[in-house]
PDB file of all heavy atoms in Angstrom:
ATOM      1  N   ALA O 366       5.664  30.359   4.079  1.00 97.00           N
ATOM      2  CA  ALA O 366       6.689  31.315   4.478  1.00 97.00           C
ATOM      3  C   ALA O 366       7.265  32.105   3.309  1.00 97.00           C
ATOM      4  O   ALA O 366       7.564  33.287   3.453  1.00 97.00           O
ATOM      5  CB  ALA O 366       7.811  30.577   5.209  1.00 97.00           C
ATOM      6  N   ILE O 367       7.447  31.456   2.159  1.00 97.00           N
ATOM      7  CA  ILE O 367       8.168  32.192   1.112  1.00 97.00           C
ATOM      8  C   ILE O 367       7.382  32.419  -0.171  1.00 97.00           C
ATOM      9  O   ILE O 367       7.894  32.973  -1.125  1.00 97.00           O
ATOM     10  CB  ILE O 367       9.535  31.532   0.791  1.00 97.00           C
ATOM     11  CG1 ILE O 367       9.356  30.103   0.306  1.00 97.00           C
ATOM     12  CG2 ILE O 367      10.443  31.560   1.997  1.00 97.00           C
ATOM     13  CD1 ILE O 367      10.692  29.410   0.049  1.00 97.00           C
ATOM     14  N   PHE O 368       6.124  31.984  -0.209  1.00 98.00           N
ATOM     15  CA  PHE O 368       5.301  32.251  -1.393  1.00 98.00           C
ATOM     16  C   PHE O 368       4.126  33.122  -0.991  1.00 98.00           C
ATOM     17  O   PHE O 368       3.699  33.104   0.160  1.00 98.00           O
ATOM     18  CB  PHE O 368       4.797  30.939  -1.998  1.00 98.00           C
ATOM     19  CG  PHE O 368       5.893  30.067  -2.567  1.00 98.00           C
ATOM     20  CD1 PHE O 368       6.653  29.250  -1.732  1.00 98.00           C
ATOM     21  CD2 PHE O 368       6.174  30.067  -3.928  1.00 98.00           C
ATOM     22  CE1 PHE O 368       7.669  28.448  -2.239  1.00 98.00           C
ATOM     23  CE2 PHE O 368       7.189  29.267  -4.446  1.00 98.00           C
ATOM     24  CZ  PHE O 368       7.938  28.457  -3.601  1.00 98.00           C
ATOM     25  N   ASP O 369       3.596  33.888  -1.951  1.00 97.00           N
ATOM     26  CA  ASP O 369       2.403  34.707  -1.697  1.00 97.00           C
ATOM     27  C   ASP O 369       1.256  34.215  -2.568  1.00 97.00           C
ATOM     28  O   ASP O 369       1.478  33.593  -3.606  1.00 97.00           O
ATOM     29  CB  ASP O 369       2.683  36.180  -2.037  1.00 97.00           C
ATOM     30  CG  ASP O 369       3.871  36.711  -1.261  1.00 97.00           C
ATOM     31  OD1 ASP O 369       3.884  36.533  -0.027  1.00 97.00           O
ATOM     32  OD2 ASP O 369       4.797  37.258  -1.896  1.00 97.00           O
ATOM     33  N   ASP O 370       0.047  34.576  -2.148  1.00 97.00           N
ATOM     34  CA  ASP O 370      -1.171  34.282  -2.928  1.00 97.00           C
ATOM     35  C   ASP O 370      -1.308  32.820  -3.316  1.00 97.00           C
ATOM     36  O   ASP O 370      -1.753  32.501  -4.427  1.00 97.00           O
ATOM     37  CB  ASP O 370      -1.209  35.126  -4.233  1.00 97.00           C
ATOM     38  CG  ASP O 370      -1.089  36.606  -3.972  1.00 97.00           C
ATOM     39  OD1 ASP O 370      -1.404  37.016  -2.838  1.00 97.00           O
ATOM     40  OD2 ASP O 370      -0.673  37.347  -4.892  1.00 97.00           O
ATOM     41  N   PHE O 371      -0.929  31.914  -2.450  1.00 98.00           N
ATOM     42  CA  PHE O 371      -0.995  30.494  -2.803  1.00 98.00           C
ATOM     43  C   PHE O 371      -2.433  30.032  -2.979  1.00 98.00           C
ATOM     44  O   PHE O 371      -3.288  30.270  -2.133  1.00 98.00           O
ATOM     45  CB  PHE O 371      -0.310  29.656  -1.725  1.00 98.00           C
ATOM     46  CG  PHE O 371      -0.420  28.169  -1.948  1.00 98.00           C
ATOM     47  CD1 PHE O 371       0.153  27.575  -3.074  1.00 98.00           C
ATOM     48  CD2 PHE O 371      -1.078  27.346  -1.039  1.00 98.00           C
ATOM     49  CE1 PHE O 371       0.071  26.211  -3.290  1.00 98.00           C
ATOM     50  CE2 PHE O 371      -1.170  25.972  -1.248  1.00 98.00           C
ATOM     51  CZ  PHE O 371      -0.590  25.404  -2.366  1.00 98.00           C
ATOM     52  N   VAL O 372      -2.692  29.393  -4.111  1.00 98.00           N
ATOM     53  CA  VAL O 372      -4.000  28.784  -4.345  1.00 98.00           C
ATOM     54  C   VAL O 372      -3.770  27.296  -4.527  1.00 98.00           C
ATOM     55  O   VAL O 372      -3.112  26.870  -5.474  1.00 98.00           O
ATOM     56  CB  VAL O 372      -4.666  29.350  -5.622  1.00 98.00           C
ATOM     57  CG1 VAL O 372      -6.023  28.687  -5.840  1.00 98.00           C
ATOM     58  CG2 VAL O 372      -4.803  30.854  -5.524  1.00 98.00           C
ATOM     59  N   GLU O 373      -4.290  26.510  -3.604  1.00 98.00           N
ATOM     60  CA  GLU O 373      -4.060  25.068  -3.714  1.00 98.00           C
ATOM     61  C   GLU O 373      -4.965  24.461  -4.774  1.00 98.00           C
ATOM     62  O   GLU O 373      -6.139  24.815  -4.887  1.00 98.00           O
ATOM     63  CB  GLU O 373      -4.286  24.370  -2.362  1.00 98.00           C
ATOM     64  CG  GLU O 373      -3.883  22.904  -2.426  1.00 98.00           C
ATOM     65  CD  GLU O 373      -3.891  22.183  -1.086  1.00 98.00           C
ATOM     66  OE1 GLU O 373      -4.134  22.824  -0.051  1.00 98.00           O
ATOM     67  OE2 GLU O 373      -3.637  20.965  -1.111  1.00 98.00           O
ATOM     68  N   LEU O 374      -4.403  23.568  -5.574  1.00 98.00           N
ATOM     69  CA  LEU O 374      -5.192  22.861  -6.588  1.00 98.00           C
ATOM     70  C   LEU O 374      -5.210  21.378  -6.212  1.00 98.00           C
ATOM     71  O   LEU O 374      -4.185  20.820  -5.841  1.00 98.00           O
ATOM     72  CB  LEU O 374      -4.581  23.066  -7.977  1.00 98.00           C
ATOM     73  CG  LEU O 374      -4.459  24.534  -8.423  1.00 98.00           C
ATOM     74  CD1 LEU O 374      -3.762  24.629  -9.766  1.00 98.00           C
ATOM     75  CD2 LEU O 374      -5.828  25.202  -8.502  1.00 98.00           C
ATOM     76  N   HIS O 375      -6.379  20.788  -6.340  1.00 98.00           N
ATOM     77  CA  HIS O 375      -6.531  19.411  -5.868  1.00 98.00           C
ATOM     78  C   HIS O 375      -6.811  18.422  -6.995  1.00 98.00           C
ATOM     79  O   HIS O 375      -7.387  18.784  -8.016  1.00 98.00           O
ATOM     80  CB  HIS O 375      -7.709  19.336  -4.878  1.00 98.00           C
ATOM     81  CG  HIS O 375      -7.436  20.024  -3.574  1.00 98.00           C
ATOM     82  ND1 HIS O 375      -6.730  19.448  -2.558  1.00 98.00           N
ATOM     83  CD2 HIS O 375      -7.782  21.266  -3.129  1.00 98.00           C
ATOM     84  CE1 HIS O 375      -6.654  20.293  -1.537  1.00 98.00           C
ATOM     85  NE2 HIS O 375      -7.277  21.401  -1.864  1.00 98.00           N
ATOM     86  N   GLY O 376      -6.450  17.188  -6.764  1.00 97.00           N
ATOM     87  CA  GLY O 376      -6.970  16.090  -7.573  1.00 97.00           C
ATOM     88  C   GLY O 376      -6.190  15.756  -8.824  1.00 97.00           C
ATOM     89  O   GLY O 376      -5.518  16.601  -9.407  1.00 97.00           O
ATOM     90  N   ASP O 377      -6.298  14.479  -9.212  1.00 97.00           N
ATOM     91  CA  ASP O 377      -5.583  14.044 -10.413  1.00 97.00           C
ATOM     92  C   ASP O 377      -6.514  13.922 -11.612  1.00 97.00           C
ATOM     93  O   ASP O 377      -6.071  13.647 -12.714  1.00 97.00           O
ATOM     94  CB  ASP O 377      -4.872  12.712 -10.161  1.00 97.00           C
ATOM     95  CG  ASP O 377      -5.846  11.548  -9.967  1.00 97.00           C
ATOM     96  OD1 ASP O 377      -7.026  11.800  -9.664  1.00 97.00           O
ATOM     97  OD2 ASP O 377      -5.416  10.398 -10.120  1.00 97.00           O
ATOM     98  N   ARG O 378      -7.845  14.131 -11.376  1.00 96.00           N
ATOM     99  CA  ARG O 378      -8.874  14.042 -12.424  1.00 96.00           C
ATOM    100  C   ARG O 378      -9.151  12.616 -12.872  1.00 96.00           C
ATOM    101  O   ARG O 378      -9.880  12.406 -13.822  1.00 96.00           O
ATOM    102  CB  ARG O 378      -8.506  14.875 -13.676  1.00 96.00           C
ATOM    103  CG  ARG O 378      -8.294  16.331 -13.411  1.00 96.00           C
ATOM    104  CD  ARG O 378      -9.580  17.030 -12.975  1.00 96.00           C
ATOM    105  NE  ARG O 378      -9.382  18.464 -12.850  1.00 96.00           N
ATOM    106  CZ  ARG O 378      -9.067  19.061 -11.703  1.00 96.00           C
ATOM    107  NH1 ARG O 378      -8.925  18.350 -10.599  1.00 96.00           N
ATOM    108  NH2 ARG O 378      -8.909  20.364 -11.666  1.00 96.00           N
ATOM    109  N   TYR O 379      -8.508  11.627 -12.228  1.00 96.00           N
ATOM    110  CA  TYR O 379      -8.792  10.241 -12.586  1.00 96.00           C
ATOM    111  C   TYR O 379      -9.426   9.481 -11.423  1.00 96.00           C
ATOM    112  O   TYR O 379     -10.306   8.681 -11.604  1.00 96.00           O
ATOM    113  CB  TYR O 379      -7.519   9.493 -12.994  1.00 96.00           C
ATOM    114  CG  TYR O 379      -6.849  10.048 -14.214  1.00 96.00           C
ATOM    115  CD1 TYR O 379      -5.665  10.770 -14.120  1.00 96.00           C
ATOM    116  CD2 TYR O 379      -7.405   9.838 -15.481  1.00 96.00           C
ATOM    117  CE1 TYR O 379      -5.046  11.272 -15.239  1.00 96.00           C
ATOM    118  CE2 TYR O 379      -6.790  10.349 -16.609  1.00 96.00           C
ATOM    119  CZ  TYR O 379      -5.616  11.064 -16.485  1.00 96.00           C
ATOM    120  OH  TYR O 379      -5.010  11.563 -17.602  1.00 96.00           O
ATOM    121  N   TYR O 380      -8.887   9.734 -10.233  1.00 96.00           N
ATOM    122  CA  TYR O 380      -9.330   8.887  -9.129  1.00 96.00           C
ATOM    123  C   TYR O 380      -9.683   9.679  -7.873  1.00 96.00           C
ATOM    124  O   TYR O 380     -10.783   9.605  -7.378  1.00 96.00           O
ATOM    125  CB  TYR O 380      -8.271   7.819  -8.841  1.00 96.00           C
ATOM    126  CG  TYR O 380      -8.707   6.832  -7.807  1.00 96.00           C
ATOM    127  CD1 TYR O 380      -9.667   5.873  -8.129  1.00 96.00           C
ATOM    128  CD2 TYR O 380      -8.200   6.873  -6.514  1.00 96.00           C
ATOM    129  CE1 TYR O 380     -10.102   4.965  -7.170  1.00 96.00           C
ATOM    130  CE2 TYR O 380      -8.628   5.964  -5.562  1.00 96.00           C
ATOM    131  CZ  TYR O 380      -9.582   5.016  -5.892  1.00 96.00           C
ATOM    132  OH  TYR O 380     -10.013   4.137  -4.949  1.00 96.00           O
ATOM    133  N   ARG O 381      -8.702  10.460  -7.342  1.00 96.00           N
ATOM    134  CA  ARG O 381      -9.003  11.215  -6.122  1.00 96.00           C
ATOM    135  C   ARG O 381      -7.891  12.225  -5.867  1.00 96.00           C
ATOM    136  O   ARG O 381      -6.912  12.255  -6.616  1.00 96.00           O
ATOM    137  CB  ARG O 381      -9.161  10.290  -4.916  1.00 96.00           C
ATOM    138  CG  ARG O 381      -7.882   9.560  -4.579  1.00 96.00           C
ATOM    139  CD  ARG O 381      -7.808   9.096  -3.127  1.00 96.00           C
ATOM    140  NE  ARG O 381      -6.397   8.830  -2.856  1.00 96.00           N
ATOM    141  CZ  ARG O 381      -5.862   8.778  -1.653  1.00 96.00           C
ATOM    142  NH1 ARG O 381      -6.585   8.993  -0.589  1.00 96.00           N
ATOM    143  NH2 ARG O 381      -4.589   8.536  -1.511  1.00 96.00           N
TER     144      ARG O 381
END
Side-chain angles (χ1 to χ4, degrees):
Chain O
I367 60 183
F368 294 81
D369 303 309
D370 305 337
F371 176 63
V372 180
E373 187 172 356
L374 302 176
H375 290 279
D377 68 341
R378 302 294 186 266
Y379 297 107
Y380 185 73
R381 64 157 198 160

